[in-house]
Structure formats: structure tokens, C-alpha cells
Amino acid sequence: MSILHPCPDDDGRPVPIRQPSIPTPLSSWSDPRALATVVPGGALPAALNGLPLAPWTDAPDTTQGWSACTMEAALDEPPFVLPAGMAAAAGAVILEDDGRVWLVAPSNRFGGYAATFPKGRVDPGTSLQCASVREAFEESGLRVRVDAFLLDIRRTQTYTRYYIARRTGGSPACMGWESQAVHLAPLDRLRQVAVHPNDAPVIAALECWLGS
């Protein structure tokens, strides 16, 4: 039985969720070994690892606003060389202080993804870091800080730079219409949750980065 996402799409149309995700008990959020899942508007603890889970009420809603609010981190990252015919994109691999990793469940498994890392195309005139922060908020409801370069990867239509990021605020219950759930997954279960082949190199790069 389908339900409507509480957020309309970018054109103001309702978004039916054909196979709604199932939230996990509140206790899963405090257990670093557990997979925790929240659905739009779902129940959450007041805080996680000492940081409140509260909506980012004054998040930007324009390209200029995102550019203004994103603090560009001085990272050791290679030049971004966009292949011909590809669109630039950026994503965030968001680490939680308890060792788990944040994932989003695209609404109605868009693109064939049951769960994946937030990412999206770069708006003209904005940076890769800005795009990764914006996409993290729009798809997961989280406010994040970019901490490190992870990898560049080629997809069908995009060439995507992924960053390591950390949660600094926001609430996953406030995810946008593109996501029907947000997960917090233990590192050793990432491959069981983010099963799309496109995410395998991202997970491998993360494992390598954490081991360095």
C-alpha cells in the first residue's frame, strides 16, 4: 500500500511511495552495532552521540545561499578533471562519531538503488564541496562539514567527487522528497545495505581511507 511523502517534488507534485520503508526501534540509534532507519517525519532520539537531532530550520533555499553558507575546507584534493560529455557531481560519505555511516534510501528505488550515499549534480557557479553539502541536506536532512577528499568516480552520465563528511546538525527525519528513508549503518554492514554495484568502489575507498 503506497503512502505520500510529506514533501512534494521540485514541481510541487505529490510523491507516492509505493513500498514504504520500515523504521527501526528507537533503541537502534544508541547501539553502534545496529542498523538504524528513520522514515520521513519519523521518531528519533533527541540527540545522538552528544549532538542534537534537530531540524536545520534556516537552511539555504537558493544556489547563492548554499554558496554563501558552505565553508570551503582547505583540503588536500587533486584537480577535478571532468571528462568530455560528462556532468560534474559531488557526494558525501557521512561518518558518525560511533563509527557508523549515513545512507539514504532513494524514493521508489530511483536509479535502482535500495540505499546509497547522498550525491547530486553541481549547480553552475557553485563548488564541488558546496554541492556535496547541499545534496547531503536535501537527501538526508543532515547538516554536514566536509573533512577530506575520498575519490572521483565515473558514472553513466556524471563524474562524481566524493568527500568524507561529518554530521554537525540537522535531522534525518527531515529528508527531502528524493529519499524515503535514511539509514545509519555499521561499517561492516555497508555492503549488505548499499548493494548497488556503483557503490562498491566508494565503500572500498572508505575502508582504505579509514585504514590509513
Side-chain angles (χ1 to χ4, degrees):
M1 181 177 180
S2 67
I3 62 171
L4 289 180
H5 198 293
C7 300
D9 69 14
D10 292 340
D11 296 317
R13 297 173 299 196
V15 179
I17 304 298
R18 294 187 290 273
Q19 292 181 308
S21 301
I22 300 173
T24 55
L26 283 178
S27 59
S28 64
W29 294 94
S30 60
D31 183 354
R33 300 164 300 175
L35 172 67
T37 300
V38 65
V39 296
L44 287 168
L48 179 64
N49 300 309
L51 185 64
L53 290 169
W56 185 6
T57 56
D58 59 348
D61 57 5
T62 65
T63 299
Q64 294 78 10
W66 281 110
S67 293
C69 92
T70 302
M71 298 295 293
E72 294 288 321
L75 305 180
D76 180 13
E77 56 182 315
F80 186 75
V81 181
L82 185 65
M86 306 292 285
V93 178
I94 309 166
L95 305 183
E96 185 60 33
D97 284 350
D98 61 15
R100 289 182 285 183
V101 183
W102 292 91
L103 298 167
V104 296
S107 295
N108 300 312
R109 292 179 174 250
F110 182 79
Y113 291 88
T116 189
F117 304 96
K119 80 169 187 71
R121 298 193 182 203
V122 179
D123 289 337
T126 63
S127 69
L128 292 160
Q129 290 189 32
C130 178
S132 69
V133 172
R134 185 196 72 239
E135 290 296 323
F137 173 69
E138 291 179 352
E139 296 184 6
S140 73
L142 299 177
R143 185 172 189 172
V144 304
R145 178 192 70 237
V146 170
D147 272 3
F149 163 79
L150 183 60
L151 85 161
D152 294 332
I153 188 168
R154 186 169 186 150
R155 297 291 175 81
T156 305
Q157 298 180 327
T158 63
Y159 191 63
T160 303
R161 172 155 294 187
Y162 281 94
Y163 292 100
I164 296 290
R166 296 278 181 177
R167 176 176 68 96
T168 61
S171 168
C174 297
M175 69 194 81
W177 67 270
E178 293 176 292
S179 302
Q180 68 178 59
V182 175
H183 307 295
L184 187 56
L187 182 63
D188 61 6
R189 295 184 62 181
L190 272 185
R191 295 180 188 274
Q192 302 168 24
V193 183
V195 297
H196 197 288
N198 283 348
D199 284 329
V202 182
I203 296 172
L206 172 62
E207 293 169 339
C208 182
W209 187 85
L210 290 170
S212 62

